[in-house]
Amino acid sequence: MGFLIRMAFWFSLVLLALPLNVGSDETGHQSVGPIQALFAAREAVGDIAGICERKPDVCETGKSAMHTITARAKETAKIAAAMLDDKTAEPDTATTTGSVPEDIVLPAKVHLPAKVELPAKN
């Protein structure tokens, strides 16, 4: 799903950058050029950055959420590091599977038939 969102974003940027002169549509709205779209995006980012001045409670909630996410990420990293550094986990040497005992001697050459006849399936 994330791939589709990223693809749509980059595709829309490519469409904005193409020099197409489409004029106005049926409702009379003018088309937007790439420079105008860039300036509009810049103003939108500036408006989002100024939200702390208009609504301080939104910024406080955002700070608290970022603090919580950071604390949880640190704790998760500590747990993962402890699991990786755990020296008590030793490999199981009592169980051996798929091994061949040393006293078995394998033949030097194995003769297999060149063609194997299989019964026909009905």
Side-chain angles (χ1 to χ4, degrees):
M1 185 68 182
F3 171 74
L4 293 175
I5 293 171
R6 282 183 279 166
M7 186 180 69
F9 171 76
W10 288 111
F11 185 66
S12 65
L13 285 181
V14 168
L15 287 179
L16 282 175
L18 289 176
L20 299 175
N21 189 9
V22 293
S24 60
D25 59 2
E26 299 85 27
T27 58
H29 293 109
Q30 290 293 327
S31 65
V32 176
I35 303 298
Q36 291 171 329
L38 180 66
F39 286 135
R42 212 168 112 194
E43 288 180 24
V45 169
D47 187 48
I48 291 172
I51 197 167
C52 289
E53 295 170 2
R54 290 190 310 267
K55 296 188 176 191
D57 58 326
V58 172
C59 284
E60 288 300 320
T61 304
K63 286 179 186 177
S64 298
M66 288 305 293
H67 177 71
T68 303
I69 291 170
T70 305
R72 288 185 181 178
K74 285 180 183 177
E75 288 299 318
T76 304
K78 286 180 186 176
I79 292 170
M83 290 175 77
L84 291 174
D85 290 339
D86 191 12
K87 301 292 184 202
T88 60
E90 297 293 327
D92 183 17
T93 57
T95 306
T96 55
T97 59
S99 61
V100 178
E102 292 179 11
D103 58 342
I104 295 179
V105 178
L106 298 175
K109 227 178 208 185
V110 177
H111 298 286
L112 296 175
K115 186 175 181 184
V116 177
E117 297 291 328
L118 297 175
K121 292 185 181 179
N122 291 342

